[in-house]
Amino acid sequence: MNNPLETFESIRDFYISYLETAFRIDSSDIQSERRALLEQQGTLCADLFLEPMPRYQHYGLTISELRNDAYGQTWLPGFNAQQRAAFIDLCLGGLLPHNKTDSTKGRFNLYTHQLDMLKRGVQPGKPGIVTSGTGSGKTESFLLPVLAQIAKEATGWPQSPALKCWQPWWHKVADKQPSFMREHEAAARPKAVRALILYPMNALVEDQLVRMRRALDSSEAHDVMDTHFGGNRIFFGRYTSATKVTGWLKHPRLSEEKNEKKRVAKKITELREYMQLTEETHQEAVRQAQQDKDNELSFNFPPNRWRRGSQPLGNAKDTARYSDHQHQHALNDAGSRGGRSYF
């Protein structure tokens, strides 16, 4: 790896090379003089700034060591062994890296502020604030208690083995109406929003979605849910200012009118084509990731899973565009405000 000085110089030289190519001077002497001027501090760029970063403290514990009763009862109060195992396996399924030789063990020690937030977050009436710097694992600090509480609850959900039998409705031209993955879910499985995460910028939402997909929608995460949650899934969604407002797949008053039926049929056709395109894009990303041995690439593209239940929550085409939350986004074209993710 290049040291910071070499990295700084290589970036500066890259831009100077571009300028010399785009604005070439025939005289080599004048060109050399210009380069010397561009290399001077303050001409093209400021001097290099180095900021020493302190090493964050840890308790010497990986996530997998919370299986131990002593550690588990300390950092996950109120969790039994089964609930702790479900949470730990879920974390190692995508949120946290596992040991290269043993996938049941964590690779890195958790920082003190991550464990402290985990302990506070799983107890009622104990809010917490993390103000650590860049690269300190703040995302894990707020996601760990969220996933812990959901995993604890999910171990008691009624089994939903039929979820895996659902097939995308857009694969079958004969299907006139969309079907939904959650129609195969156990009826007694409680449905509610468990957590709401607010971000100040859409760019942060995009970055976090990659982590969410890897943590909750990877094949490893699905295996954990099959083992510990009876085949149930943890669903998550993203809303930004571009997300559409509520609409209807079957309007309660206008559904029998000719124009409404025609409009719905057109929207469903558009949605079918869009879902097919989105799925093809994701499959191509998966193939490219396998070819390049890039474990992150495929998670930049949402897998198409039409998940949400029977309540319409927005625009049909918008469901494909924001297919992580996979609602029955029905057929309204108005806009809305937002900037949040939910579980």
Side-chain angles (χ1 to χ4, degrees):
M1 177 182 292
N2 294 332
N3 62 50
L5 291 173
E6 291 176 341
T7 301
F8 169 77
E9 291 173 354
S10 66
I11 295 174
R12 183 197 60 192
D13 291 344
F14 174 81
Y15 281 100
I16 292 177
S17 297
Y18 164 75
L19 292 173
E20 289 180 335
T21 301
F23 306 100
R24 188 165 186 82
I25 300 174
D26 290 337
S27 172
S28 58
D29 292 338
I30 297 177
Q31 179 129 320
S32 298
E33 185 65 24
R34 181 177 65 178
R35 184 178 184 90
L37 288 172
L38 291 173
E39 289 178 347
Q40 289 182 5
Q41 176 184 344
T43 304
L44 180 64
C45 56
D47 199 7
L48 174 65
F49 289 96
L50 293 177
E51 179 185 3
M53 299 294 293
R55 187 180 296 275
Y56 293 98
Q57 296 180 345
H58 59 79
Y59 291 115
L61 296 175
T62 65
I63 189 70
S64 55
E65 291 178 275
L66 300 188
R67 300 181 198 273
N68 178 284
D69 284 342
Y71 294 137
Q73 292 170 6
T74 298
W75 299 109
L76 289 168
F79 283 60
N80 59 36
Q82 177 191 6
Q83 293 164 345
R84 292 200 306 270
F87 164 60
I88 293 166
D89 289 345
L90 182 62
C91 289
L92 294 176
L95 179 65
L96 300 175
H98 56 70
N99 187 288
K100 293 182 178 180
T101 58
D102 187 349
S103 61
T104 65
K105 295 182 179 180
R107 188 185 307 178
F108 303 116
N109 292 324
L110 296 176
Y111 293 134
T112 55
H113 57 271
Q114 293 173 331
L115 277 171
D116 290 340
M117 277 292 291
L118 175 60
K119 182 177 181 179
R120 296 183 67 86
V122 298
Q123 298 181 80
K126 287 187 174 291
I129 299 176
V130 177
T131 59
S132 55
T134 302
S136 62
K138 292 188 294 297
T139 298
E140 290 81 2
S141 295
F142 69 77
L143 280 183
L144 285 173
V146 169
L147 295 186
Q149 286 289 73
I150 295 176
K152 180 182 181 181
E153 178 189 351
T155 57
W157 288 342
Q159 293 191 0
S160 300
L163 274 176
K164 294 192 294 185
C165 300
W166 177 83
Q167 296 295 321
W169 60 272
W170 55 90
H171 290 179
K172 303 175 183 179
V173 179
D175 288 351
K176 301 296 184 182
Q177 295 290 324
S179 63
F180 299 92
M181 185 179 185
R182 299 198 70 172
E183 293 173 354
H184 296 267
E185 192 175 52
R189 193 271 214 200
K191 299 173 178 60
V193 175
R194 271 74 176 186
L196 187 67
I197 305 171
L198 306 180
Y199 297 97
M201 297 183 297
N202 286 351
L204 293 176
V205 180
E206 293 295 332
D207 177 68
Q208 294 293 304
L209 269 180
V210 175
R211 310 240 7 223
M212 297 287 193
R213 292 175 189 136
R214 186 171 62 246
L216 297 174
D217 211 11
S218 65
S219 58
E220 293 84 357
H222 290 172
D223 289 341
V224 172
M225 295 177 198
D226 289 339
T227 301
H228 293 287
F229 303 159
N232 287 288
R233 297 289 184 258
I234 298 174
F235 302 105
F236 64 96
R238 175 264 308 269
Y239 289 93
T240 68
S241 58
T243 306
K244 307 300 183 182
V245 299
T246 300
W248 296 99
L249 180 61
K250 184 176 181 180
H251 197 281
R253 291 181 291 104
L254 307 177
S255 59
E256 298 303 319
E257 294 187 5
K258 182 178 180 180
N259 289 341
E260 176 67 11
K261 290 181 179 180
K262 185 177 180 180
R263 186 183 71 88
V264 169
K266 178 183 177 182
K267 288 292 185 178
I268 291 176
T269 300
E270 292 176 356
L271 178 58
R272 182 192 306 277
E273 294 172 353
Y274 199 92
M275 296 294 275
Q276 290 171 345
L277 177 61
T278 305
E279 186 171 47
E280 291 171 3
T281 301
H282 180 260
Q283 290 173 349
E284 180 58 33
V286 171
R287 286 192 292 269
Q288 190 65 42
Q290 293 172 344
Q291 178 179 327
D292 297 342
K293 297 182 179 180
D294 184 344
N295 295 327
E296 301 295 321
L297 178 61
S298 61
F299 294 110
N300 284 276
F301 299 88
N304 249 344
R305 305 182 203 283
W306 183 262
R307 293 174 172 162
R308 193 69 181 183
S310 58
Q311 294 302 316
L313 295 174
N315 177 281
K317 198 167 184 178
D318 190 62
T319 302
R321 185 147 47 95
Y322 298 105
S323 56
D324 290 285
H325 52 86
Q326 319 284 339
H327 309 341
Q328 179 181 341
H329 270 293
L331 314 164
N332 192 316
D333 290 320
S336 72
R337 299 177 181 177
R340 53 199 179 272
S341 298
Y342 80 92
F343 289 86

